[in-house]
Each structure stands twice: as structure tokens, then as C-alpha cells.
Amino acid sequence: MKLTLHGPCTRVDLAEVCGELDPRLWVAFCRQLELGPSYAACGDDARALFCGGFIPTGDAWECWFHAAPDAGRHMLELHRVARLTLADLPQSDPRPVETIVRTPAGARIARLFGLRRVIAIDGLELWRGSR
């Protein structure tokens, strides 16, 4: 399967990836779409398998991502499209990219972006990398 990348990510893409959510999470995830550039990777059937984006903060570009349960079969392609999203950030901006990871799957995706674990506290990990 070949993945296609489009941006910005839509609420439909987000719903396809995340499925049924607690309403508070849905509001938070939709807010991510409003705060910075976002992308969705879709399979041959045009259904989103992965959504992600970046929120500019004072110290870094905060990276966020959500993957559908069946996205794991497409990790090589996801690696390629994930790296393309990093290349889309302003090259003149020296801020690093960072994300908070909660699960082993999230750690695999952070690694795909070229990020490294910096610290772990209370079940959360901060991953950071330069572009």
C-alpha cells in the first residue's frame, strides 16, 4: 500500500484515526488542528491512518500525532511521510521539535521522527530532536 500525505489534517481525518473518543479529548485534539500545521497520511482507500502536526511554543515546536490501530503495518511508509512533515517547518526557526509520549507505540513514532527520549516522569516521556 502506498500512503499519500495531505495537509492540513481535517476533523474527518482525525475521526478516522482516533475513532470514538471522550468528548473532552475530541475538543483537545481538534484544538491541535487549529494551532499549527497539520498533516494526514491516507491509504489506498483514502482513509486516514495517521494524523500529526506541530504547534509552535516558546521553546520548541511541539509535535503531536495519532495513529490508527492498523497503521503499524505501514511503519516504513509512515517513516517517509513523517520526515516530509519535518522538512515543511520553517528552516530559519532554530527551535527543536519535542513531544510527550505515553505508549510504546508513541515511542516508535517519535523515533521515526528522529527524536530521542530526554526524560521520563510519572509514565510520560519527553522526546526531543533537532531538525
Side-chain angles (χ1 to χ4, degrees):
M1 173 186 290
K2 184 175 173 106
L3 298 180
T4 58
L5 183 68
H6 71 262
C9 177
T10 68
R11 288 179 182 220
V12 171
D13 296 325
L14 197 58
E16 288 175 345
V17 169
C18 296
E20 199 170 313
L21 289 175
D22 177 283
R24 291 170 292 185
L25 277 178
W26 176 251
V27 169
F29 289 178
C30 287
R31 183 76 175 129
Q32 290 173 322
L33 296 177
E34 299 167 6
L35 295 176
S38 62
Y39 310 88
C42 299
D44 292 334
D45 61 358
R47 183 177 168 86
L49 293 171
F50 178 87
C51 295
F54 301 95
I55 300 170
T57 66
D59 298 340
W61 284 94
E62 180 184 328
C63 175
W64 61 268
F65 47 81
H66 308 289
D70 54 347
R73 296 183 306 214
H74 310 285
M75 280 303 206
L76 182 58
E77 275 296 308
L78 281 173
H79 175 260
R80 291 180 182 133
V81 298
R83 299 301 281 195
L84 288 174
T85 65
L86 284 175
D88 199 32
L89 291 176
Q91 295 302 310
S92 61
D93 189 331
R95 290 180 285 185
V97 173
E98 61 185 30
T99 193
I100 300 295
V101 172
R102 295 181 187 93
T103 65
R108 285 191 300 275
I109 294 170
R111 223 175 272 115
L112 287 178
F113 274 97
L115 307 179
R116 302 220 185 276
R117 189 175 79 166
V118 175
I119 192 169
I121 300 173
D122 295 330
L124 299 176
E125 300 174 346
L126 173 66
W127 287 63
R128 182 178 295 145
S130 59
R131 299 181 275 136

